[in-house]
Amino acid sequence: MSEVFKGSFTQQEPIPEDGIEAAVDVMRSGRLHRYNTAEGELSQTALLEQEFAAQVGAKYCLAVASGGYAMATALRAVGVKPGDKVLTNAFTLAPVPGAIAAVGGVPVFVGVTDQLVIDLDDLAAQAGQADVLLLSHMRGHLADMEALMALCDDAGVIVIEDCAHTMGASWRGVPSGTQGKVGCYSCQTYKHVNSGEGGLFVTDDPEVAARAVILSGSYMMYEKHLAGPPAEAYAQIRYETPNISGRMDNLRAAILRPQLRKLDAQRVRWNERYFAIETGLRDTPGLTVIERPADEVIMGSSIQFLLQGWSATNVEAVLARCLKRGVELKWFGGAEPVGFTSRYDSWRYVDAPAMPKSDVVLAGIVDMRVPLTFSLEDCALIARIIKAEVSAVYQGS
Ligand SMILES: *Cc1c(COP(=O)(O)O)cnc(C)c1O
């Protein structure tokens, strides 16, 4: 009898009790809007911003409606105009090129390496076309950030970091999202903190911060921000910047604050699970584990491996056989986008040239979510199932 996994790949942990209590307090108060504060009261949203800025070591933080909204706001705040080209990853999720499209920009895709990070040679070759790179740390894989920042600084390219998968991660001790001009995070259910929907935006640049605050829909109440720039930063900007509503509310902020306090502890738990799976997958013929650089502290909320050089039929056989045993794998090589899985040539509103080198990598990427509701035994079982099914198909091929 072969083992079957019975858990759910989409089941998150409950909201911590202190978050639930804080949320109930906000509901009892009736003051859910971030600027609706009683005399002397600091809003949950303003406190969240202050705490997150301190946590990552950024000067300014703005909480918004989603990660996608944070990215579009960042692009607007650094001056991207309709028709401008914006560099971004060929391997990322749909809201990333979507944020560029939202501001009328034109995505220019940069290739992916077999370490699943942005290809710096391709970035160097293409950097002359654009003033901005929307860099997606897709699935938590960090490129060599010193090399990337040096390259972009030399080319005069502003870096905006998409940290949807790296909230809580760091590169050589630097929290992800603080090396570029702006760091954008998602607080959506499937990321590292869960308020259903939500986003965070950090920067050290007072002008960019001021523009973002006004863009998010602050009306003229920006002085209620505890993690915003000084009032003088708004002097001109407040007249020139449109209000494109996308605020965070106090209910979500109340839920998020206790979760952010637990982020380091959650990282330990995520990485125990990640490395339990990784260990179990090692030495599987035909399967390549992605070696994580020593400079990277990861948030192991998902794991990827490569089936390099495999035929589509055989990859699909592995997925089907694993699914029969309860293990849900996603594949970035499929001809059609499925679920959350798509890639540069799925986004046909962009006129993107073919990327044969990236296609080879994408064709082998298999991806799996690792929710914290899995036990370490679950992780070992999942790895045994994948190993057995990959081996069976590999040997039969
Ligand atoms: C989820 C996600 C986003 C966007 O976050 P939302 O809060 O869903 O808008 C951006 N980039 C990546 C890589 C993501 O996975």
Side-chain angles (χ1 to χ4, degrees):
M1 258 283 294
S2 56
E3 300 175 294
V4 174
F5 177 63
K6 296 264 165 47
S8 163
F9 282 80
T10 51
Q11 182 58 56
Q12 311 302 326
E13 292 189 300
I15 301 301
E17 283 304 319
D18 45 356
I20 294 174
E21 274 169 35
V24 170
D25 287 347
V26 170
M27 286 190 280
R28 292 222 160 93
S29 80
R31 294 186 294 280
L32 273 68
H33 191 285
R34 67 166 297 163
Y35 299 119
N36 182 7
T37 47
E39 187 69 31
E41 185 183 35
L42 300 173
S43 80
Q44 288 284 334
T45 310
L47 290 166
L48 168 72
E49 291 166 342
Q50 189 176 47
E51 289 162 2
F52 191 66
Q55 192 163 347
V56 297
K59 280 199 181 124
Y60 311 116
C61 175
L62 173 70
V64 294
S66 72
Y69 183 88
M71 293 188 289
T73 301
L75 293 168
R76 283 199 179 93
V78 303
V80 174
K81 298 276 175 312
D84 288 355
K85 290 180 176 175
V86 178
L87 299 157
T88 194
N89 305 58
F91 173 51
T92 184
L93 288 190
V96 179
I100 297 170
V103 303
V106 179
V108 174
F109 296 112
V110 182
V112 60
T113 73
D114 60 8
Q115 295 303 297
L116 306 193
V117 297
I118 195 163
D119 181 339
L120 295 186
D121 294 333
D122 192 24
L123 178 60
Q126 299 207 68
Q129 299 178 61
D131 299 328
V132 177
L133 165 65
L134 178 54
L135 170 66
S136 184
H137 302 303
M138 177 63 172
R139 290 294 186 260
H141 297 272
L142 290 167
D144 178 336
M145 287 302 292
E146 283 82 19
L148 183 143
M149 290 308 302
L151 194 167
C152 289
D153 287 347
D154 283 352
V157 170
I158 295 170
V159 178
I160 295 169
E161 297 182 73
D162 164 25
C163 305
H165 303 159
T166 55
M167 176 191 275
S170 55
W171 177 262
R172 293 200 188 165
V174 182
S176 184
T178 58
Q179 279 160 295
K181 175 72 88 183
V182 182
C184 302
Y185 307 79
S186 170
C187 311
Q188 191 230 84
T189 294
Y190 299 112
K191 312 300 164 84
H192 300 166
V193 290
N194 175 11
S195 57
E197 303 287 354
L200 290 160
F201 172 113
V202 300
T203 185
D204 285 345
D205 184 316
E207 265 185 45
V208 169
R211 273 192 219 108
V213 169
I214 303 279
L215 283 165
S216 76
S218 67
Y219 302 94
M220 293 299 152
M221 289 177 282
Y222 46 81
E223 288 188 56
K224 289 195 173 193
H225 285 244
L226 299 173
E232 58 266 26
Y234 296 94
Q236 236 359 81
I237 283 168
R238 65 193 206 128
Y239 299 111
E240 294 167 351
T241 310
N243 172 327
I244 305 179
S245 281
R247 292 171 301 273
M248 163 84 60
D249 60 87
N250 288 333
L251 196 51
R252 290 194 171 100
I255 292 171
L256 289 171
R257 290 177 64 212
Q259 294 182 58
L260 284 173
R261 288 196 283 273
K262 279 176 50 180
L263 196 60
D264 286 338
Q266 298 292 72
R267 177 174 56 243
V268 172
R269 298 177 58 222
W270 248 312
N271 292 354
E272 281 171 354
R273 286 159 179 75
Y274 179 97
F275 288 110
I277 297 168
E278 190 202 80
T279 304
L281 291 180
R282 281 188 185 277
D283 307 317
T284 304
L287 180 152
T288 309
V289 165
I290 312 288
E291 300 297 344
R292 307 305 294 254
D295 287 322
E296 188 185 35
V297 170
I298 70 164
M299 276 301 261
S301 58
S302 72
I303 189 163
Q304 295 71 45
F305 57 84
L306 295 176
L307 299 178
Q308 278 169 319
W310 285 50
S311 69
T313 316
N314 282 345
V315 177
E316 279 164 352
V318 167
L319 263 60
R321 293 172 70 126
C322 287
L323 189 60
K324 262 197 178 155
R325 297 179 64 183
V327 175
E328 269 178 54
L329 301 174
K330 301 278 154 44
W331 179 41
F332 279 89
E336 282 296 316
V338 181
F340 290 107
T341 313
S342 58
R343 55 164 201 255
Y344 77 94
D345 57 353
S346 320
W347 307 314
R348 293 187 198 162
Y349 57 88
V350 186
D351 185 18
M355 305 181 77
K357 265 176 76 183
S358 292
D359 289 343
V360 170
V361 177
L362 288 163
I365 301 176
V366 181
D367 174 45
M368 191 181 82
R369 234 180 225 144
V370 186
L372 286 172
T373 48
F374 289 0
S375 67
L376 294 179
E377 293 71 37
D378 290 339
C379 292
L381 168 61
I382 288 166
R384 282 199 299 279
I385 291 172
I386 296 172
K387 186 168 200 159
E389 299 304 337
V390 167
S391 304
V393 176
Y394 189 70
Q395 275 149 22
S397 68

